[in-house]
Amino acid sequence: MVKEVERNRLQPHTTQNAPVEFHESRQELHDMLAQMILIRHFEDKVYEMYTRAKIGGYCHMNHGEEATIIGAIRPLRPQDWIISFYREHGHILARGTEPKYVMAELFGREDGVARGRGGSMHLFDASRRFLGGYGIVAGQMPLAIGVGYSTKYRDADEVTLLLTGDGAMANGASHETLNMIGIYHLPVITLIVNNLYGMGTTVERSAANPDLWKRGEMYNMWGTQVDGMDVMQVRRTMEEAMDRARHGQPSLIEAITYRYRGHSVADAARYRTPEEVQAWRGADPIERFYRQLLEAEVVTEQDRQEIERQVDATVQQAVDFADASPQPDPSGLFDYLYVNPPPTLNEPETPDA
Amino acid sequence: MVKEVERNRLQPHTTQNAPVEFHESRQELHDMLAQMILIRHFEDKVYEMYTRAKIGGYCHMNHGEEATIIGAIRPLRPQDWIISFYREHGHILARGTEPKYVMAELFGREDGVARGRGGSMHLFDASRRFLGGYGIVAGQMPLAIGVGYSTKYRDADEVTLLLTGDGAMANGASHETLNMIGIYHLPVITLIVNNLYGMGTTVERSAANPDLWKRGEMYNMWGTQVDGMDVMQVRRTMEEAMDRARHGQPSLIEAITYRYRGHSVADAARYRTPEEVQAWRGADPIERFYRQLLEAEVVTEQDRQEIERQVDATVQQAVDFADASPQPDPSGLFDYLYVNPPPTLNEPETPDA
Amino acid sequence: MPEMTYRQALHDALREEMQRDPNVFLLGEEIGIFGGSYKVTEGLIDEFGPQRVLETPISEGGIIGLATGASMTGLRPVAEIMTINFIVVGMDQLVNNAAKIPYMFGGEAKAPIVIRTPSGAGHQLASQHSQVLESWFAYVPGMYVIAPSTPADAKGLLKASIRDDNPILFVENVLLYNEKGEVPEGEHILPLGKADVKREGEDITLIAYSRAVHMALAAADALAEQGISAEVVDLRSLRPLDIETVVSSVRKTNHAIVLHEGWKRYGAGAEIAAEIQEHAFDDLDHPVERITGAEVPLPYATSLERAALPRVEDVVMRAAFILGRDKVGV
Amino acid sequence: MPEMTYRQALHDALREEMQRDPNVFLLGEEIGIFGGSYKVTEGLIDEFGPQRVLETPISEGGIIGLATGASMTGLRPVAEIMTINFIVVGMDQLVNNAAKIPYMFGGEAKAPIVIRTPSGAGHQLASQHSQVLESWFAYVPGMYVIAPSTPADAKGLLKASIRDDNPILFVENVLLYNEKGEVPEGEHILPLGKADVKREGEDITLIAYSRAVHMALAAADALAEQGISAEVVDLRSLRPLDIETVVSSVRKTNHAIVLHEGWKRYGAGAEIAAEIQEHAFDDLDHPVERITGAEVPLPYATSLERAALPRVEDVVMRAAFILGRDKVGV
Ligand SMILES: Cc1ncc(C[n+]2csc(CCOP(=O)(O)OP(=O)(O)O)c2C)c(N)n1
Ligand SMILES: Cc1ncc(C[n+]2csc(CCOP(=O)(O)OP(=O)(O)O)c2C)c(N)n1
Ligand SMILES: [Mg+2]
Ligand SMILES: [Mg+2]
């Protein structure tokens, strides 16, 4: 099922569209489509809100990457962990966190998932074992060794999904992480969301050998490449990886996808041609999945319309909620810095002031 | 000629002893043997001097690794560069630096190759393009990207030999280095002196996939493994790598060898058995090369005796020289810290002191 | 004198030095087609080609190591680290290699590199992207740490840094790139390690560097309205530290406030305060005070971010208080 | 009270905490069969097995990341970094992750890790292996930096650190492992962030931490012979910094010297001096002085190494001079 696709990376490559074998419930497939559309619309709204200065800082969006996200995150069970990076709005939404709390975080409000302290790059949801978005490229990766080791230490039935970008694979932290995961045989699945660029740098210029999945061998793990525009392919690969993880074999999955927009809201992406972007938009993961579902008669056009309607409402509610949520009070500036700090953290009084 | 040896790593493996084809001059072969013996005796003396407190600090020796050293360094031309790590006494001797200046450095004397400032881990010889020994594991590696890039930048005919240990290959710096060398197609040859241990840790426990040479593929370079107890094998491999380097292809050579003594003088090496050490000593690179040369009638027993005599004299002279060399004068404490520092480096006068 | 931005001044310095010396080359992430994260190197790849404007993968250790290794062979690399926060990933190469190579090899080697990087808070960049870390490097003997506040200084100090033979961390500031100022025409080189009195005054010395210099100047303006004459000393360099200029000023004004972005405890201001009290003890009428950012990882929310950053008002208020011109006290 | 070495005290603290709490585990390079580079963990792998005494490859970033990730899931990792010099390779994980995780996620996560590492000069370990870098981490809000000087403190503070919920850098010292001292029997826990007056005195306060405390005590002995009564304050923690105890002492003695290994400029002593002059300005009869290592990468040769390290004699001489008991002056 999973093809080791050889491709001209800058051309979208539609893998064999053999009739998809669905063994998910109708409801599940419907929800997958709905979540993909939610992520897309949510990101559209984020863009709009950024231009209206409701959102600030660095803001990286997931347009085009929805299949990698839903395919990888949907199969996870409640006890499984996720560690992500700064391009993670869709990741936390896919994990089931309510959009309004995510939007509130982007607005920098007290009701945000990190109480407004984190912002776009640092979303978090402890109850869903979503262990955060991180801003130092590859810096999130070593954390996954620890989460995976904890699972082994506690002899628990858990899998950790480690999300990373293609550019991050050039950083030393990626090497130490994968090597240690391999040495300890940890139940960690590393998904490289290979959107072909790290900012303006193609993966051919950031990796001496751009077939990133092939590194699996060197780390003693299962390495495979998957069409990241096909949600069911990603899902099946993820399911296999979860199975292997539970038997002590880690995986390295490279999902080839594309980000439709610039690296961040601020990036005009002049390092690539409009034609290239257009070509990839033509292989859109949402439309593809929708067609597959239509053909299999799992959803109807009406379903799609209903989904779009509901998603729009949800996103609008998220904005309204975020807008109504208070800014954190400056008096809370030092909250959450330390757990039970000693009184010596205060300064002594200066007699003459 | 070069075998991709599959072996039980903790057993010495004598590769096929097919009759060696020498195309070096008699003199060259004689000198190779003499240098290997020099390194061995020099290190014996270093051990003795350390126990007599003439040498201090961390002191790592090359006993057993002589074939990797002479095989890799001897083919280098004057214009070629070397970057090494803390276990480098033999490396600088092989490059032709006079033993007395090396010994003086180990004694911490003004006539040492780093004027007594560096010590055992930080030997240097600018005139021989020996760019130093470094003490942070894998920390020397990124420097080689720059030296290789400089060669390319200046369009020069130079090769850089980067020496590293097996344990160092777990560090992120090794990944960034090899990846960048691969991306830029630099004339750099990375030689992993795989002595099977990093301190007490076997390579099986420091590398998820202990076949380190296989990483060549991932870095878009020629990867190969060689019997590091056979100096001629190492030499031929090195010659091929130099040829490739001059045509823009980097190499990653893993030479399997063994350090006879502990990690440093202070290490009793209780993590391995005396039998294991004995087995490897049985595959001694000096004795093996000597037998090859005897068989090929390149040297005689008398030659060997003469070499041993000369080497002993040289080493003794080195000790005498080092002992006679002055300790650096404390007044020179700030020498070499900055090039042309501004006067503001001094403190202002305190009126009341 | 032509007016230009800090960004342009840096750009011109790079360009002029590359034209002057073929051994000067640039390297870093996205410095080519992308023009650099803050667009300082824009256009240089067109003029000098990809060999002299070398784009790298996201490997900060590799970048600094590459620069250091190349510098040991005689080249003059100028590396850009996208922001100072990312230098943490690669600082082993700077601290354990570049800063030590000349000394630990007994003068047998040099490492003339320049690492350019912006420090400081931007707008809502949050805790991993808003740090002020240059004092770490200023702690390390063997390093120089230069930090210009104006376009003229940026140009003059960057050119001097590129020509200097020591390893240099050249600290820019995220919020200064668009600041404008006059820059002398023609060859403009400034000495490294020399502080600059940016404004003369009699009553109190405000010591700052980088962006905080502008805050100090704004505070001085406000204080002038209250009849207080503040002298503003721009350190321009954290190492070498020109403490002589600072001490001379304090000996005159008898009062001092050190002002910087970043955190207070173990921050750069501690060194300045410690030195002033040591060398001008009898001249001080009041302890040296420090005004810095709050000691938290910078929060994202604007309400908190604002509360965490140092403010001009605080400088004005403390200065007035110190000079006894504030009736209310704090 | 039984006498034991600093090494043994640390060992016992680790062992007791591992016995108490099954979530406590150790990780690091060579901490198993090898027993640790400085033999602190010797024997623990036999008692607790390889799962709880986890040996790692030479991947300092991986080690600290592993610890941090595991701590977020409820475990209590204690990592050993072989020496503080190597932490530079992995410090991104400590500074940008562990120290920020609780705050930047709005209190939704904790990172209760302890990173043990020895700092300081050994004997001729040269420039890359002799650094004192803990003040870097003390600069970072979110971190604790603990640094015991005696076996009793080592045990009490390590046990407290392991039970604490904050990310902690626990700084040991290469030359203290063999130092002996009395350690209370039974459960011995000390509060984090509390300085300790190691010797009471009236005339001058000597402020130190880690190995320098022993130098301060030796200096106090020598000064006593000259009739000078020196008080020795052991900071025990650089962050939180118990400046109150320091200031109280100086308010009594009116004189202060800060003493530490490592470099002066931007070193830990700068913060102490800055705080003392701020909070005890009118009580000071003389500026706070600092005695530290010379500002060079530590040279290998014994003659130079000796010249580069701080000396007890210097403390004695300066103290005597400051108190006007030195006829010659300097
Ligand atoms: C260590 C570090 N270096 C540089 C950056 C700046 N930076 C942020 S994202 C990015 C590109 C990362 O690309 P990739 O891993 O492919 O992820 P993508 O953004 O494409 O999803 C860079 C260079 C950073 N955040 N951290
Ligand atoms: C970054 C770093 N971590 C740890 C050490 C301590 N250390 C010194 S040598 C060594 C083992 C290195 O093994 P290897 O690379 O195989 O080289 P070998 O000593 O066997 O020649 C270790 C862990 C160090 N110097 N630097
Ligand atoms: Mg990418
Ligand atoms: Mg080894």
Side-chain angles (χ1 to χ4, degrees):
Chain A
M1 221 256 355
V2 176
K3 291 276 158 46
E4 291 167 5
V5 195
E6 291 293 334
R7 64 167 72 192
N8 174 340
R9 284 173 186 273
L10 296 186
Q11 289 292 321
H13 173 108
T14 303
T15 46
Q16 298 309 2
N17 230 338
V20 187
E21 271 179 58
F22 294 115
H23 39 74
E24 285 77 9
S25 69
R26 252 168 209 281
Q27 184 62 45
E28 171 63 14
L29 294 168
H30 178 276
D31 289 355
M32 285 172 68
L33 181 66
Q35 275 200 321
M36 289 172 76
I37 293 172
L38 170 67
I39 294 171
R40 178 72 56 89
H41 286 219
F42 187 91
E43 293 293 54
D44 283 343
K45 188 59 84 177
V46 165
Y47 185 84
E48 183 193 331
M49 290 296 125
Y50 196 97
T51 57
R52 288 171 52 193
K54 290 282 182 185
I55 300 175
Y58 294 137
C59 187
H60 317 83
M61 297 176 303
N62 289 116
H63 296 96
E65 300 179 350
E66 295 86 355
T68 65
I69 299 172
I70 296 299
I73 293 177
R74 197 78 200 173
L76 294 178
R77 303 155 305 165
Q79 71 266 39
D80 296 328
W81 305 90
I82 303 185
I83 296 199
S84 189
F85 57 117
Y86 49 85
R87 192 182 301 286
E88 88 289 37
H89 305 167
H91 305 170
I92 198 168
L93 292 175
R95 190 58 173 156
T97 306
E98 281 190 62
K100 63 183 183 178
Y101 299 121
V102 180
M103 192 65 85
E105 187 60 36
L106 303 184
F107 276 44
R109 303 302 170 92
E110 192 62 46
D111 292 305
V113 291
R115 296 201 170 83
R117 273 71 176 170
S120 164
M121 297 189 285
H122 308 305
L123 304 173
F124 200 89
D125 189 341
S127 65
R128 291 182 178 77
R129 300 197 154 188
F130 184 89
L131 292 184
Y134 297 81
I136 306 296
V137 164
Q140 83 285 12
M141 298 186 75
L143 299 174
I145 320 169
V147 179
Y149 189 70
S150 171
T151 295
K152 195 171 168 180
Y153 191 92
R154 293 175 289 109
D155 201 14
D157 175 23
E158 301 162 354
V159 158
T160 297
L161 173 63
L162 167 60
L163 292 145
T164 188
D166 48 292
M169 295 297 290
N171 200 280
S174 75
H175 173 66
E176 298 191 1
T177 299
L178 295 172
N179 188 45
M180 288 175 80
I181 288 171
I183 288 172
Y184 301 133
H185 308 288
L186 303 180
V188 178
I189 299 162
T190 304
L191 178 74
I192 306 170
V193 183
N194 184 350
N195 55 19
L196 310 191
Y197 290 88
M199 295 186 70
T201 303
T202 59
V203 66
E204 280 77 11
R205 292 193 298 128
S206 71
N209 179 342
D211 274 325
L212 302 176
W213 63 273
K214 288 192 179 164
R215 296 189 191 173
E217 192 199 338
M218 132 167 179
Y219 299 120
N220 192 23
M221 53 180 72
W222 182 51
T224 192
Q225 195 184 56
V226 61
D227 181 349
M229 301 307 260
D230 182 342
V231 69
M232 289 311 297
Q233 269 203 37
V234 177
R235 184 170 181 138
R236 292 286 173 268
T237 307
M238 184 67 188
E239 285 162 352
E240 175 168 357
M242 287 177 69
D243 215 60
R244 289 172 183 260
R246 283 190 299 267
H247 292 90
Q249 196 196 24
S251 296
L252 179 67
I253 307 173
E254 179 188 8
I256 306 287
T257 179
Y258 201 79
R259 66 166 155 71
Y260 293 172
R261 291 190 170 269
H263 167 70
S264 64
V265 177
D267 169 26
R270 266 170 298 196
Y271 42 81
R272 59 190 196 184
T273 62
E275 292 72 34
E276 183 186 310
V277 181
Q278 235 8 80
W280 278 91
R281 280 186 183 265
D284 189 78
I286 295 177
E287 297 315 322
R288 179 165 173 180
F289 187 44
Y290 175 55
R291 276 199 312 275
Q292 290 171 344
L293 294 179
L294 272 182
E295 275 167 35
E297 295 180 6
V298 177
V299 299
T300 62
E301 276 185 47
Q302 286 80 336
D303 291 337
R304 168 89 189 240
Q305 279 161 20
E306 178 57 18
I307 289 173
E308 301 268 354
R309 209 192 47 73
Q310 279 188 9
V311 159
D312 281 341
T314 304
V315 170
Q316 190 52 50
Q317 279 155 20
V319 167
D320 296 342
F321 175 84
D323 230 355
S325 174
Q327 286 246 9
D329 193 279
S331 68
L333 182 61
F334 293 94
D335 294 350
Y336 318 120
L337 181 56
Y338 288 108
V339 186
N340 301 323
T344 43
L345 274 175
N346 305 322
E347 297 210 355
E349 272 170 51
T350 304
D352 52 357
Chain B
M1 221 261 348
V2 177
K3 291 274 156 47
E4 290 167 6
V5 196
E6 291 294 334
R7 66 167 73 193
N8 173 340
R9 285 173 187 272
L10 296 186
Q11 289 292 322
H13 175 110
T14 302
T15 46
Q16 298 308 0
N17 230 340
V20 188
E21 273 179 56
F22 294 114
H23 38 74
E24 286 77 10
S25 69
R26 253 168 206 280
Q27 185 62 47
E28 173 62 14
L29 295 167
H30 178 276
D31 290 354
M32 284 172 68
L33 180 65
Q35 274 199 322
M36 288 171 76
I37 294 172
L38 170 67
I39 294 171
R40 179 70 57 89
H41 288 218
F42 186 90
E43 294 293 53
D44 284 341
K45 188 58 86 179
V46 164
Y47 184 84
E48 182 192 332
M49 291 296 125
Y50 196 96
T51 58
R52 290 171 51 192
K54 289 283 183 185
I55 299 175
Y58 294 137
C59 186
H60 316 83
M61 297 176 304
N62 290 116
H63 296 94
E65 300 179 351
E66 295 87 353
T68 64
I69 299 171
I70 296 300
I73 293 177
R74 198 76 202 176
L76 295 177
R77 305 154 302 166
Q79 72 267 37
D80 297 327
W81 305 91
I82 303 185
I83 296 198
S84 189
F85 57 117
Y86 50 85
R87 192 182 301 286
E88 88 289 36
H89 305 166
H91 305 170
I92 198 168
L93 293 174
R95 189 58 172 155
T97 306
E98 281 190 64
K100 62 182 185 181
Y101 299 122
V102 179
M103 192 64 85
E105 187 61 35
L106 303 185
F107 276 44
R109 303 303 170 91
E110 191 63 45
D111 292 305
V113 290
R115 296 199 171 84
R117 272 72 176 169
S120 165
M121 298 189 285
H122 308 303
L123 305 173
F124 200 90
D125 189 341
S127 65
R128 291 181 176 79
R129 299 198 155 187
F130 184 89
L131 292 185
Y134 297 82
I136 306 296
V137 164
Q140 83 283 13
M141 298 185 75
L143 299 175
I145 320 168
V147 179
Y149 189 71
S150 170
T151 295
K152 196 170 168 181
Y153 191 93
R154 290 175 290 108
D155 200 13
D157 175 22
E158 301 162 355
V159 159
T160 296
L161 173 62
L162 168 60
L163 292 145
T164 188
D166 48 293
M169 295 298 288
N171 200 279
S174 74
H175 174 67
E176 297 191 3
T177 299
L178 295 172
N179 188 45
M180 289 175 80
I181 288 172
I183 289 172
Y184 302 133
H185 308 288
L186 303 180
V188 178
I189 300 162
T190 303
L191 178 73
I192 307 170
V193 183
N194 184 351
N195 55 19
L196 310 191
Y197 290 88
M199 296 185 71
T201 303
T202 59
V203 66
E204 280 77 11
R205 292 192 298 128
S206 72
N209 178 343
D211 273 325
L212 301 175
W213 63 274
K214 288 193 180 163
R215 296 189 191 173
E217 191 199 341
M218 134 169 179
Y219 299 121
N220 192 23
M221 53 181 71
W222 183 51
T224 191
Q225 196 185 53
V226 62
D227 181 349
M229 301 306 260
D230 183 342
V231 67
M232 290 310 297
Q233 268 204 37
V234 178
R235 184 172 182 137
R236 292 287 173 269
T237 308
M238 184 67 188
E239 284 162 353
E240 175 169 356
M242 287 178 69
D243 215 59
R244 288 173 186 260
R246 284 190 299 266
H247 293 90
Q249 196 198 22
S251 297
L252 178 67
I253 307 174
E254 179 190 8
I256 305 289
T257 181
Y258 201 79
R259 66 167 154 71
Y260 292 172
R261 292 190 169 270
H263 168 70
S264 66
V265 177
D267 169 24
R270 267 169 299 197
Y271 42 82
R272 59 188 196 185
T273 62
E275 291 73 38
E276 183 187 309
V277 181
Q278 234 9 81
W280 279 92
R281 280 186 184 266
D284 189 79
I286 295 177
E287 298 315 321
R288 179 166 176 179
F289 186 45
Y290 174 54
R291 277 198 312 275
Q292 290 171 344
L293 294 179
L294 272 182
E295 275 166 37
E297 297 181 4
V298 178
V299 298
T300 63
E301 276 184 47
Q302 287 81 336
D303 290 337
R304 170 87 190 244
Q305 280 162 18
E306 177 58 19
I307 288 173
E308 301 269 354
R309 210 192 47 71
Q310 279 187 9
V311 158
D312 282 340
T314 305
V315 170
Q316 190 51 51
Q317 280 156 20
V319 167
D320 297 341
F321 176 84
D323 230 357
S325 174
Q327 285 246 11
D329 194 280
S331 68
L333 183 61
F334 293 93
D335 292 351
Y336 318 120
L337 181 57
Y338 288 108
V339 186
N340 302 321
T344 44
L345 274 175
N346 304 322
E347 297 208 357
E349 273 170 51
T350 305
D352 53 359
Chain C
M1 282 197 281
E3 231 200 22
M4 62 177 75
T5 60
Y6 190 84
R7 169 184 296 110
Q8 185 69 42
L10 292 166
H11 175 96
D12 289 358
L14 292 174
R15 183 158 177 260
E16 288 172 23
E17 291 306 299
M18 289 180 81
Q19 285 170 338
R20 183 186 57 81
D21 180 354
N23 285 332
V24 174
F25 74 100
L26 313 184
L27 71 162
E29 295 160 21
E30 307 293 341
I31 64 167
I33 316 165
F34 206 93
S37 212
Y38 293 97
K39 306 292 175 201
V40 171
T41 56
E42 200 153 57
L44 294 178
I45 196 168
D46 302 324
E47 182 170 352
F48 298 103
Q51 174 126 311
R52 296 187 67 194
V53 182
L54 179 67
E55 295 194 288
T56 69
I58 308 171
S59 307
E60 281 76 10
I63 293 169
I64 302 174
L66 193 167
T68 306
S71 79
M72 293 172 82
T73 71
L75 299 187
R76 320 268 328 174
V78 183
E80 175 174 302
I81 298 292
M82 216 177 258
T83 83
I84 201 166
N85 307 279
F86 312 149
I87 223 171
V88 188
V89 177
M91 68 189 284
D92 170 63
Q93 291 300 310
L94 194 51
V95 167
N96 286 329
N97 283 349
K100 300 201 167 29
I101 279 169
Y103 191 87
M104 82 177 177
F105 295 133
E108 292 293 304
K110 286 189 305 189
I113 60 169
V114 178
I115 310 289
R116 295 179 37 243
T117 193
S119 177
H123 295 296
Q124 292 191 269
L125 303 183
S127 67
Q128 290 188 326
H129 284 78
S130 307
Q131 296 174 97
V132 171
L133 303 175
E134 51 269 17
S135 57
W136 284 354
F137 302 92
Y139 174 61
V140 179
M143 289 295 310
Y144 277 10
V145 177
I146 307 298
S149 65
T150 65
D153 288 358
K155 183 166 184 190
L157 292 171
L158 183 52
K159 285 175 70 98
S161 295
I162 294 172
R163 297 183 190 194
D164 193 87
D165 274 345
N166 297 292
I168 296 178
L169 182 71
F170 190 90
V171 181
E172 303 169 3
N173 187 290
V174 177
L175 295 182
L176 283 182
Y177 288 117
N178 290 326
E179 286 292 311
K180 287 194 168 175
E182 293 191 335
V183 176
E185 270 173 296
E187 190 81 318
H188 171 58
I189 312 258
L190 290 168
L192 300 178
K194 190 85 201 70
D196 185 41
V197 177
K198 280 279 183 310
R199 174 183 176 129
E200 302 210 354
E202 301 301 322
D203 301 330
I204 187 166
T205 305
L206 306 178
I207 301 128
Y209 70 93
S210 193
R211 195 171 77 86
V213 170
H214 299 275
M215 300 176 63
L217 290 169
D221 281 344
L223 287 166
E225 285 175 24
Q226 298 182 34
I228 295 173
S229 158
E231 178 145 312
V232 175
V233 177
D234 179 355
L235 295 173
R236 294 207 295 206
S237 166
L238 292 183
R239 186 178 200 99
L241 179 64
D242 179 7
I243 199 70
E244 189 74 57
T245 297
V246 173
V247 167
S248 305
S249 173
V250 177
R251 283 190 185 138
K252 176 177 70 176
T253 64
N254 311 118
H255 301 92
I257 293 178
V258 194
L259 166 67
H260 61 72
E261 288 192 85
W263 302 303
K264 184 174 180 182
R265 278 256 182 281
Y266 308 99
E271 179 64 30
I272 313 301
E275 287 285 282
I276 293 174
Q277 66 88 35
E278 183 167 354
H279 299 290
F281 190 70
D282 292 331
D283 299 296
L284 277 176
D285 290 346
H286 184 94
V288 183
E289 294 201 2
R290 294 180 280 164
I291 294 177
T292 68
E295 302 207 44
V296 290
L298 207 65
Y300 169 77
T302 48
S303 57
L304 296 174
E305 189 183 48
R306 217 178 300 119
L309 294 173
R311 276 175 301 256
V312 173
E313 308 87 85
D314 296 337
V315 183
V316 174
M317 197 179 65
R318 287 308 301 168
F321 171 79
I322 288 170
L323 291 165
R325 313 278 176 92
D326 183 306
K327 306 293 156 322
V328 192
V330 189
Chain D
M1 280 194 284
E3 230 200 25
M4 63 176 74
T5 59
Y6 189 84
R7 170 184 296 111
Q8 186 68 41
L10 293 166
H11 174 95
D12 289 357
L14 292 174
R15 185 159 174 258
E16 289 171 22
E17 292 306 300
M18 288 178 82
Q19 285 169 338
R20 183 187 57 81
D21 181 352
N23 285 333
V24 174
F25 73 100
L26 313 183
L27 72 162
E29 295 160 21
E30 306 294 341
I31 63 166
I33 317 167
F34 206 94
S37 213
Y38 292 98
K39 305 292 176 202
V40 172
T41 57
E42 200 151 56
L44 294 178
I45 194 166
D46 302 324
E47 182 170 351
F48 299 102
Q51 176 125 309
R52 296 187 67 194
V53 181
L54 179 67
E55 296 195 287
T56 68
I58 309 171
S59 306
E60 282 73 11
I63 293 169
I64 303 175
L66 193 167
T68 307
S71 79
M72 293 172 82
T73 71
L75 299 187
R76 320 268 329 174
V78 183
E80 175 175 303
I81 297 292
M82 216 178 257
T83 84
I84 203 166
N85 306 280
F86 312 149
I87 223 171
V88 189
V89 176
M91 69 189 283
D92 170 61
Q93 291 299 311
L94 194 51
V95 167
N96 285 329
N97 283 350
K100 299 199 167 32
I101 279 169
Y103 191 87
M104 84 179 175
F105 296 134
E108 293 292 305
K110 286 189 305 189
I113 60 169
V114 177
I115 310 289
R116 295 178 38 242
T117 193
S119 176
H123 294 296
Q124 291 191 271
L125 302 185
S127 67
Q128 290 188 326
H129 284 77
S130 307
Q131 295 174 96
V132 172
L133 303 176
E134 52 270 17
S135 58
W136 283 353
F137 302 93
Y139 174 60
V140 179
M143 289 296 310
Y144 277 10
V145 178
I146 308 298
S149 65
T150 66
D153 288 358
K155 184 166 183 192
L157 292 171
L158 183 51
K159 285 174 70 95
S161 295
I162 293 172
R163 297 182 190 194
D164 194 87
D165 275 344
N166 296 291
I168 296 179
L169 182 71
F170 190 89
V171 181
E172 303 169 4
N173 187 289
V174 178
L175 294 182
L176 283 183
Y177 288 115
N178 290 325
E179 286 293 311
K180 286 193 169 173
E182 293 191 337
V183 176
E185 270 173 293
E187 189 80 319
H188 171 57
I189 312 258
L190 290 168
L192 300 178
K194 189 83 200 74
D196 185 42
V197 177
K198 281 279 183 310
R199 174 184 177 129
E200 301 210 354
E202 301 301 322
D203 301 331
I204 187 166
T205 304
L206 306 179
I207 301 129
Y209 71 93
S210 193
R211 195 171 78 85
V213 171
H214 299 275
M215 301 176 62
L217 289 168
D221 280 345
L223 287 166
E225 286 175 22
Q226 298 183 34
I228 295 174
S229 160
E231 177 147 312
V232 175
V233 177
D234 179 356
L235 295 173
R236 293 206 297 204
S237 166
L238 292 182
R239 186 178 199 98
L241 179 64
D242 178 8
I243 199 71
E244 188 75 55
T245 297
V246 174
V247 167
S248 305
S249 173
V250 177
R251 283 191 186 139
K252 176 176 70 174
T253 64
N254 312 121
H255 301 91
I257 293 177
V258 194
L259 166 66
H260 62 72
E261 288 192 85
W263 302 304
K264 184 174 181 180
R265 277 255 184 281
Y266 307 100
E271 179 64 31
I272 313 302
E275 286 286 281
I276 293 174
Q277 65 90 35
E278 183 167 354
H279 299 292
F281 190 70
D282 292 332
D283 299 296
L284 277 176
D285 289 348
H286 185 93
V288 184
E289 294 201 3
R290 293 180 279 164
I291 293 177
T292 69
E295 302 208 43
V296 291
L298 207 66
Y300 169 78
T302 49
S303 57
L304 296 174
E305 190 184 46
R306 218 178 299 121
L309 293 173
R311 276 175 301 256
V312 173
E313 308 88 86
D314 296 338
V315 182
V316 175
M317 196 178 66
R318 286 311 298 170
F321 171 78
I322 287 170
L323 291 166
R325 313 279 176 93
D326 185 305
K327 308 295 159 320
V328 192
V330 190

